[in-house]
Amino acid sequence: MEHIEVSENKLLELFEAALQASKLSYSPYSKFPVGAAILVSDGRVFTGCNVENRSYGLTNCAERTAMFTAVAEGARRIAAVAIAAPKSDYPVGPCGACRQVLTEFGSDDVPVVFGTNIEHLTKSTLGELYPFDSLHELAD
């Protein structure tokens, strides 16, 4: 996949979109709202929030909600990801399932920012979060 340059300002805008998405979270059990925003290669931004269920296994994370919405709208290539967990005491990165889904649609160098607020962001990449991704050859 070709690298898409994403500016620092764009990453901050993306994080703000994730913060806004976290306000729509349905998290009556954990009381832990999470929002995500995904910038795709054509410049569109898709957001998502976590949606809990009393049967915890049926809960969906914000990152997957955003990614699945992007795919449903025809996007197949992500350029950046932002995740906001405003009620956390520390930056919370994506879970393993979300890392697997995100790497399906983004290269190792896709920037990922996550945090509790704009002043406390952690910056990483998909490759750093999931360093030994495999099985991409199945799609060839």
Side-chain angles (χ1 to χ4, degrees), residues 19-39:
L19 273 174
Q20 290 303 311
S22 75
K23 294 176 182 178
L24 300 173
S25 167
Y26 179 74
S27 47
Y29 308 105
S30 71
K31 311 281 192 268
F32 193 80
V34 179
I38 296 177
L39 172 68

Side-chain angles (χ1 to χ4, degrees), residues 37-108:
I38 296 177
L39 172 68
V40 298
S41 61
D42 65 8
R44 291 181 292 167
V45 172
F46 294 92
T47 60
C49 61
N50 55 325
V51 180
E52 294 181 350
N53 188 276
R54 63 188 172 276
S55 174
Y56 287 124
L58 300 178
T59 293
N60 201 52
C61 297
E63 300 91 314
R64 284 181 283 144
T65 300
M67 189 70 247
F68 296 161
T69 300
V71 170
E73 292 294 325
R76 296 292 185 271
R77 192 159 160 248
I78 60 177
V81 179
I83 305 156
K87 290 191 176 178
S88 179
D89 294 332
Y90 55 88
V92 177
C95 74
C98 289
R99 292 174 195 213
Q100 180 72 50
V101 168
L102 292 170
T103 62
E104 181 75 18
F105 300 99
S107 60
D108 287 350

Side-chain angles (χ1 to χ4, degrees), residues 1 100 103-108 133-140:
M1 288 184 220
Q100 180 72 50
T103 62
E104 181 75 18
F105 300 99
S107 60
D108 287 350
D133 191 8
S134 61
L135 302 178
H136 282 282
E137 66 274 7
L138 293 177
D140 293 339

Side-chain angles (χ1 to χ4, degrees), residues 2 7 13 19 26 37 125:
E2 173 186 331
S7 71
E13 288 175 18
L19 273 174
Y26 179 74
T125 65

